[in-house]
Amino acid sequence: MAATLVGGAFLGGAFNVLLDRLSSPELIKFFRGRKLDESLLKKLKLTLLELNKVLNDAEEKQITDRAVKAWLDELKDAVYHAEDLVDEIGTEALRSKVEAEYPRGKQSFQDSLISTFTGLFDRGGMNSKLEKMIGMLDHFVKAKDPKNNKTVEEEGYECFRELLSRSFFQRSNANAPSYVMHDLVHDLAQYVMGDFCHRLEDGNPHGISEKVRYFSFAHSGSDSFEKFKEIREAKYLRTFLPIDYKYYYSEKRLDKKVVDEILPGLTRLRLLSLLEYEIEELPYSIGNLIHLRFLDLSHTKIRELPKSVCKLYNLETLLLFRCDLLTTLPADLVKLISLRRLDLRETKLKEMPMNMSRLKDLQQLTNFIVGKCTSINELGEFHCLRGSISISGLQNVKSGHDALEAKMSEKKHLEKLALEWDSTIEDSQNERDVLEKLEPHTNLKHLEIKNYGGTRFPTWLGDQSFWKMVSLCLENCENCFFLPPLGQMPSLKELTIKRMPGITSVGHEFYGESDSSRKPFQSLEILRFVKMSGWVDWCILDAREFAREFSRLQKLEVIECPKLVGPLPTNLPSLADLSIKDCPELVSSLPDTTSLRELSLIECQGMQLEWQGVPSVEKLYISSFTSVKEFGSELVTLKNLKELTVDRCPSLLYFPLSEEMSHCYTSLENLTVSKCESLKSLPLGLFPQLWSLRIEDCLNFETLLIPDGVELNLTLLSIYHCNNMLSFPCGGLPAPNLSSLYLQCCAKLKALPEQMHTLLPSLGDLVLSDCPEIESFPEGGLPSELGDLVIRNCKKLVGGRRDWGLQTLPSLEILNLYGESEDALESFPEEGLLPATLRCLELGNMPNLESLNKRGLQHLSSLETMDIGNCPQLQSLPEEGLPTSLVRLTIWDCPLLKPRCRREEGEDWHKISHIPFIDIDGKAIGE
């Protein structure tokens, strides 16, 4: 296998593709039908076979011999041209086949242009092209290897293998189509690929060879026309692939001119990825890319596909994952008879095109939407489906007979199946019959059933024959009053029962028929009951009858079951995670186990807090327990506790400082206290390992307590909505590792911690929001490591901005400034206020701001993005323009400035026309 990979990674892969296509019955039939010279196909095949004999040794020797490499490069170029030619012939054969099955009818002018592009194959012209190609390759057969095909040294062979082992080819998914494996060899050594592979990383094309076939680039937030204009010279390009992200932008924009003017001209493309770009449409000329095999439009804003996409007869993979504005597919999509993979997850499609069953070779179809005009029996023709499929719109299936024709029980390669009704209808018997007839193959591993309207589940659900089933979800089956015998499935590991209002009792039927030799739920690891509004009691089996029915259960969730009385099973030896939420009537003990690591108790005051039974807990979330006054002696047994969240416990007064409790919290790393109205202070000396502290909505909280000489381990401190907080401890916060400090809605807080520049040397993020009484930064200024500063609605602090000293901060890259200033700020920024290191500047909610100060901006040579919002008096931009380094400008809710920034005609357009990406009120403008 290794020798095959080494010999066939590059040219060998192309040779194999060529030989396969030349032997294709469709191609031979096409030749005969067009009365082309069939002997030319045989001659081309023989020439390739002859070349293939010397290929392995030559590809090995190119590592150590430059003459061999040069010879191989010329041969590669010739073979690529041969593959393109044969591909065009094969495409015309496919087109003829499709058009014969689908009469054209009336054809649009655009359709006829594309048909003409693929259809000009006169006998003389095609024979001549083939003869010329054979002659070119025959030249290489006669010349062979200039070094007489001697075996390469062992070290060269090993070098080649090492390069190959680190290539994308080796790391790719083994299930990916062969052409992707062939075309995505981008990160193999540039020495081997030479001029055929170009990777753009710095945004500067700096010359692209005409021979380039494989083009990849570092995906940035704003990819302009200038970045790609030179690839128009690479006429034979096969891949256009973004491979990573250099910038932090959440949006990824691609200049519309790239999509409209550059990509349609790359007519030899096999792979085109526009993944995550904010594009809304493709040009009709995309249909010119007749060689295309792989098209990825995932995470884009595409609303519809142009009809010309249906002319891409070679297309094997079409990815539309998370195109959440896409509602329809072209009616002629079924002409894509080469399609093997169609990803429609998280789209808004309303139904499938008619005659989908013509795509018989589909191997992956993630979604099938049954509509008023599409029948579920179309699925019956998809014999090769594998992976996962979601079938929705099942309320449109007219009968169980139609459902049976989908032949779900024959699809033995499917692993995951989701069955979904969009709404429940009155004919529950029909729905029951439909679900009965959709019985899947017993190889299925994952099953979801949503919005089913029948009164009973089908007989196959829960049957022991589904021995491979590992996960099952039943959701919103409103009319079902009994659960199926799910305990009988021997491999079931994860079970979710959600929104089943008709279920009042989980009884013996849930466990199924079991005996002492076969325990129910013998493999179950995760069990969830969620939003069971009518559920009252849970029948726990007699331990003598069925010992440890959940012996392997690791996670149990009981969420929003308002009528559940209980009790819960307590004999759960493997339980590691227990979450009980919004079960106000539940009365139960905690499980007696030493395996429990995570425990969440929310709105369930009937639970008995017996911590001594769960000494191994590491993560505890407790909420809405009005009786909790202190966390002290009851937590003594939780010596491994690392994370504690106390929420909505209004009676909580304090964490005791007694000697008895000095060892109670020595392991605690993460503490959140929220909506505990009685809490006034927090003694940080109790928590020597604490690295994250959040105090939120504690209305009477006043301060932190820090013993003298104690150095805190904190890296994150957040204090939100504590309007009675007066101050930080005298002397500041001794927290040398603190990297993030967030203060929000602390109305009475007048000052930041003292000596921040020395006591907080690692502080990188500082967010101050709605703290109106803070007047200034502490004496000595801010820490030198500060990189991100956010100031929102701190009127007094902004009024003293001339004393901030930001220009002395060597690491500051991001500044967000929002809200009014005490001095009615009209112009910003003052000269010398901002450091030259800034990369991102955001200004907003400044009602009096009239102008931007050119002297305060002109030195910001590193500025890349600028955001200006809700400045109703801002009239214009500086006459000298904004910094030339800007790549993105966003303006919103600036009514006086907006018309001045209109493209070309606006008075300020010349000041910003150099910026690649401009967004005004949510609409992109610019080049």
Side-chain angles (χ1 to χ4, degrees):
M1 181 62 181
T4 302
L5 288 175
V6 171
F10 303 109
L11 273 174
F15 274 40
N16 290 335
V17 171
L18 268 173
L19 291 170
D20 286 345
R21 300 210 78 169
L22 290 172
S23 302
S24 164
E26 289 84 3
L27 190 66
I28 295 171
K29 181 180 178 182
F30 174 76
F31 252 66
R32 291 170 180 170
R34 293 294 180 94
K35 297 182 179 179
L36 295 166
D37 189 349
E38 190 178 342
S39 66
L40 292 174
L41 289 183
K42 295 178 181 178
K43 189 171 183 179
L44 178 56
K45 187 173 181 179
L46 289 173
T47 304
L48 291 170
L49 289 171
E50 187 69 24
L51 279 170
N52 205 26
K53 293 178 182 178
V54 298
L55 177 60
N56 279 10
D57 192 48
E59 285 208 316
E60 291 170 2
K61 283 199 294 185
Q62 68 173 319
I63 300 295
T64 56
D65 194 316
R66 292 186 178 275
V68 175
K69 184 181 185 302
W71 179 82
L72 264 179
D73 282 349
E74 293 301 319
L75 176 57
K76 285 177 186 176
D77 193 51
V79 171
Y80 283 137
H81 282 298
E83 190 177 5
D84 287 343
L85 178 58
V86 173
D87 208 25
E88 288 178 17
I89 300 171
T91 301
E92 179 64 8
L94 279 175
R95 188 193 69 80
S96 299
K97 179 180 178 181
V98 171
E99 296 298 343
E101 295 179 2
Y102 294 86
R104 290 187 186 181
K106 187 175 181 180
Q107 200 178 26
S108 71
F109 176 69
Q110 290 174 314
D111 286 339
S112 64
L113 282 179
I114 294 175
S115 294
T116 300
F117 181 82
T118 60
L120 293 177
F121 286 94
D122 61 279
R123 286 200 301 274
M126 184 47 58
N127 288 338
S128 175
K129 289 181 180 179
L130 279 171
E131 287 173 350
K132 184 177 179 180
M133 182 58 63
I134 292 168
M136 184 187 302
L137 293 175
D138 197 45
H139 168 77
F140 287 94
V141 173
K142 293 174 181 177
K144 290 192 177 178
D145 175 4
K147 297 298 180 182
N148 298 318
N149 300 322
K150 291 182 181 178
T151 305
V152 74
E153 293 84 0
E154 187 67 22
E155 59 203 56
Y157 175 76
E158 291 301 325
C159 176
F160 183 82
R161 289 195 61 181
E162 172 62 21
L163 288 172
L164 184 63
S165 69
R166 289 187 277 112
S167 72
F168 186 94
F169 182 81
Q170 285 288 73
R171 297 198 310 268
S172 293
N173 187 333
N175 293 323
S178 59
Y179 66 87
V180 178
M181 305 289 282
H182 173 58
D183 279 352
L184 291 184
V185 192
H186 286 278
D187 57 352
L188 189 60
Q190 188 70 35
Y191 178 83
V192 177
M193 288 304 293
D195 291 337
F196 298 102
C197 184
H198 187 96
R199 179 167 176 165
L200 179 63
E201 296 188 8
D202 57 6
N204 181 9
H206 50 255
I208 297 179
S209 168
E210 186 178 285
K211 287 184 177 181
V212 169
R213 272 22 182 235
Y214 308 108
F215 176 72
S216 61
F217 57 94
H219 191 337
S220 63
S222 304
D223 286 332
S224 65
F225 178 77
E226 292 296 318
K227 178 175 181 176
F228 299 109
K229 67 179 183 180
E230 286 198 30
I231 69 172
R232 290 179 295 187
E233 303 304 316
K235 300 176 182 179
Y236 308 113
L237 206 62
R238 292 186 169 207
T239 69
F240 183 91
L241 181 68
I243 50 176
D244 54 39
Y245 309 108
K246 291 180 64 175
Y247 300 97
Y248 57 86
Y249 309 114
S250 57
E251 293 183 352
K252 299 173 179 65
R253 299 270 178 96
L254 180 65
D255 196 318
K256 194 173 185 295
K257 289 176 66 177
V258 176
V259 179
D260 291 349
E261 299 178 18
I262 295 181
L263 294 182
L266 304 176
T267 57
R268 307 295 177 93
L269 278 180
R270 264 73 168 174
L271 182 148
L272 172 59
S273 174
L274 298 173
L275 174 68
E276 293 191 353
Y277 277 125
E278 296 280 310
I279 60 172
E280 297 181 358
E281 60 182 359
L282 293 177
Y284 195 88
S285 53
I286 202 76
N288 288 343
L289 308 184
I290 63 167
H291 297 274
L292 205 62
R293 264 76 168 171
F294 184 103
L295 177 59
D296 189 356
L297 302 174
S298 299
H299 296 262
T300 62
K301 299 300 180 184
I302 292 286
R303 294 179 179 273
E304 63 177 354
L305 298 176
K307 293 180 181 179
S308 60
V309 165
C310 304
K311 301 288 185 180
L312 304 176
Y313 301 118
N314 288 305
L315 196 64
E316 297 181 10
T317 295
L318 177 57
L319 305 182
L320 300 169
F321 173 51
R322 202 167 285 175
C323 293
D324 51 13
L325 300 179
L326 188 67
T327 57
T328 61
L329 293 174
D332 283 349
L333 191 79
V334 297
K335 291 184 176 182
L336 301 180
I337 59 175
S338 299
L339 206 59
R340 300 293 184 271
R341 183 182 179 197
L342 179 58
D343 190 344
L344 303 172
R345 290 173 297 157
E346 297 186 39
T347 62
K348 297 292 177 62
L349 293 178
K350 297 177 181 177
E351 65 178 317
M352 308 302 290
M354 295 178 65
N355 301 314
M356 279 290 290
S357 58
R358 293 180 183 269
L359 304 179
K360 300 179 187 298
D361 293 326
L362 268 179
Q363 296 178 9
Q364 183 182 17
L365 176 62
T366 61
N367 297 73
F368 188 92
I369 303 96
V370 182
K372 300 293 184 182
C373 300
T374 51
S375 174
I376 194 172
N377 59 20
E378 298 265 3
L379 285 171
E381 297 298 319
F382 299 140
H383 304 295
C384 303
L385 282 186
R386 58 185 66 247
S388 65
I389 186 171
S390 172
I391 306 174
S392 58
L394 288 172
Q395 71 280 358
N396 294 317
V397 179
K398 297 178 181 179
S399 68
H401 175 74
D402 287 350
L404 187 63
E405 290 188 347
K407 300 179 182 178
M408 298 306 297
S409 62
E410 299 179 11
K411 301 185 188 329
K412 61 182 179 180
H413 299 296
L414 272 183
E415 294 188 350
K416 183 175 182 179
L417 172 64
L419 301 172
E420 184 172 355
W421 286 254
D422 292 348
S423 59
T424 54
I425 56 177
E426 295 182 1
D427 192 353
S428 63
Q429 179 57 47
N430 183 63
E431 295 205 11
R432 180 179 174 185
D433 194 27
V434 167
L435 185 55
E436 185 75 53
K437 298 302 189 295
L438 288 176
E439 177 180 354
H441 194 278
T442 54
N443 282 345
L444 198 70
K445 294 181 179 179
H446 310 275
L447 175 64
E448 296 179 9
I449 299 176
K450 295 183 179 181
N451 307 327
Y452 168 60
T455 56
R456 289 183 177 273
F457 287 102
T459 55
W460 55 264
L461 186 58
D463 192 273
Q464 299 176 43
S465 61
F466 286 89
W467 61 278
K468 291 187 178 180
M469 185 86 71
V470 294
S471 75
L472 173 64
C473 176
L474 304 177
E475 181 176 350
N476 197 34
C477 304
E478 294 183 356
N479 299 328
C480 289
F481 300 101
F482 299 98
L483 293 174
L486 303 179
Q488 297 181 146
M489 291 192 286
S491 301
L492 191 64
K493 291 185 178 182
E494 182 174 353
L495 174 59
T496 300
I497 311 294
K498 186 175 183 179
R499 293 193 296 155
M500 303 274 284
I503 302 295
T504 59
S505 175
V506 174
H508 283 76
E509 77 286 346
F510 179 54
Y511 302 92
E513 298 179 2
S514 300
D515 53 41
S516 58
S517 64
R518 189 176 66 248
K519 301 181 182 70
F521 296 110
Q522 61 187 21
S523 300
L524 196 66
E525 296 176 356
I526 300 174
L527 176 58
R528 300 184 184 92
F529 290 99
V530 182
K531 296 185 177 180
M532 303 285 285
S533 58
W535 186 25
V536 176
D537 64 90
W538 185 352
C539 173
I540 307 302
L541 297 183
D542 190 327
R544 291 170 296 180
E545 183 181 357
F546 297 112
R548 294 184 176 180
E549 60 266 28
F550 299 111
S551 60
R552 295 189 180 181
L553 193 67
Q554 298 176 19
K555 184 173 184 176
L556 173 61
E557 294 182 1
V558 183
I559 311 295
E560 293 186 43
C561 301
K563 295 181 181 180
L564 180 62
V565 175
L568 301 179
T570 56
N571 192 8
L572 303 171
S574 302
L575 192 66
D577 187 345
L578 174 62
S579 181
I580 312 296
K581 179 180 179 181
D582 295 326
C583 299
E585 302 298 320
L586 180 62
V587 177
S588 181
S589 301
L590 292 173
D592 186 5
T593 176
T594 59
S595 62
L596 196 64
R597 298 290 183 271
E598 298 186 18
L599 176 61
S600 298
L601 301 173
I602 304 170
E603 291 279 5
C604 51
Q605 296 209 48
M607 292 294 296
Q608 300 170 26
L609 305 181
E610 300 165 344
W611 310 118
Q612 64 273 18
V614 287
S616 55
V617 168
E618 298 178 355
K619 181 177 180 181
L620 174 61
Y621 188 121
I622 182 168
S623 176
S624 302
F625 278 77
T626 57
S627 59
V628 173
K629 293 186 177 181
E630 65 175 80
F631 270 108
S633 57
E634 63 265 35
L635 292 183
V636 169
T637 58
L638 303 185
K639 297 180 180 179
N640 298 313
L641 192 63
K642 294 182 178 180
E643 183 171 336
L644 172 62
T645 298
V646 187
D647 175 57
R648 287 180 289 174
C649 295
S651 300
L652 180 69
L653 292 172
Y654 53 84
F655 288 74
L657 288 166
S658 66
E659 183 177 344
E660 176 191 12
M661 303 306 300
S662 62
H663 64 282
C664 185
Y665 305 103
T666 54
S667 299
L668 199 65
E669 297 175 351
N670 192 323
L671 174 61
T672 299
V673 183
S674 175
K675 297 181 180 177
C676 295
E677 297 173 1
S678 299
L679 186 70
K680 291 188 176 182
S681 63
L682 192 66
L684 295 185
L686 286 176
F687 315 111
Q689 299 301 320
L690 195 68
W691 62 265
S692 174
L693 173 61
R694 294 175 175 84
I695 303 174
E696 304 172 0
D697 294 291
C698 294
L699 301 182
N700 293 299
F701 181 77
E702 295 179 358
T703 191
L704 299 168
L705 302 177
I706 305 175
D708 292 340
V710 170
E711 190 173 89
L712 304 176
N713 193 48
L714 284 175
T715 61
L716 170 65
L717 174 59
S718 302
I719 302 177
Y720 294 160
H721 296 274
C722 294
N723 284 326
N724 278 305
M725 184 177 180
L726 301 175
S727 65
F728 283 93
C730 183
L733 285 175
N737 299 320
L738 191 71
S739 60
S740 299
L741 175 60
Y742 304 129
L743 301 173
Q744 179 175 330
C745 295
C746 298
K748 295 182 180 180
L749 184 64
K750 292 188 175 182
L752 294 172
E754 299 175 9
Q755 303 179 60
M756 289 179 66
H757 67 295
T758 56
L759 294 181
L760 304 178
S762 301
L763 191 67
D765 299 329
L766 176 60
V767 176
L768 305 174
S769 179
D770 295 284
C771 297
E773 296 300 315
I774 296 180
E775 296 185 5
S776 64
F777 294 131
E779 186 176 349
L782 297 171
S784 60
E785 289 296 312
L786 194 69
D788 192 337
L789 176 61
V790 177
I791 301 174
R792 292 174 178 263
N793 302 324
C794 299
K795 183 182 294 188
K796 291 184 178 180
L797 182 61
V798 176
R801 62 190 174 279
R802 294 171 184 83
D803 299 322
W804 284 354
L806 300 186
Q807 68 276 11
T808 66
L809 299 178
S811 303
L812 191 65
E813 294 188 345
I814 301 174
L815 174 62
N816 295 8
L817 187 60
Y818 288 85
E820 295 184 70
S821 167
E822 199 172 42
D823 61 352
L825 182 141
E826 296 180 356
S827 179
F828 185 85
E830 287 82 1
E831 184 176 1
L833 178 65
L834 304 182
T837 55
L838 275 189
R839 288 195 301 114
C840 177
L841 176 61
E842 297 185 15
L843 308 173
N845 299 350
M846 297 180 175
N848 299 303
L849 185 67
E850 295 181 358
S851 64
L852 297 178
N853 188 339
K854 64 179 181 180
R855 295 184 179 274
L857 294 174
Q858 61 187 6
H859 69 292
L860 302 182
S861 57
S862 299
L863 198 65
E864 296 176 358
T865 66
M866 190 169 181
D867 189 311
I868 307 170
N870 194 17
C871 298
Q873 300 302 318
L874 185 59
Q875 300 176 17
S876 65
L877 299 174
E879 187 58 40
E880 292 76 7
L882 298 174
T884 56
S885 56
L886 273 180
V887 294
R888 180 185 291 266
L889 173 64
T890 301
I891 299 173
W892 48 276
D893 288 347
C894 298
L896 299 181
L897 187 59
K898 179 178 179 179
R900 298 178 62 92
C901 293
R902 289 196 182 103
R903 183 171 181 173
E904 297 176 351
E905 62 186 46
E907 296 172 71
D908 281 1
W909 174 250
H910 69 282
K911 304 175 184 179
I912 61 174
S913 59
H914 65 284
I915 302 173
F917 287 88
I918 302 171
D919 189 301
I920 299 182
D921 287 337
K923 184 178 181 180
I925 63 173
E927 293 190 3

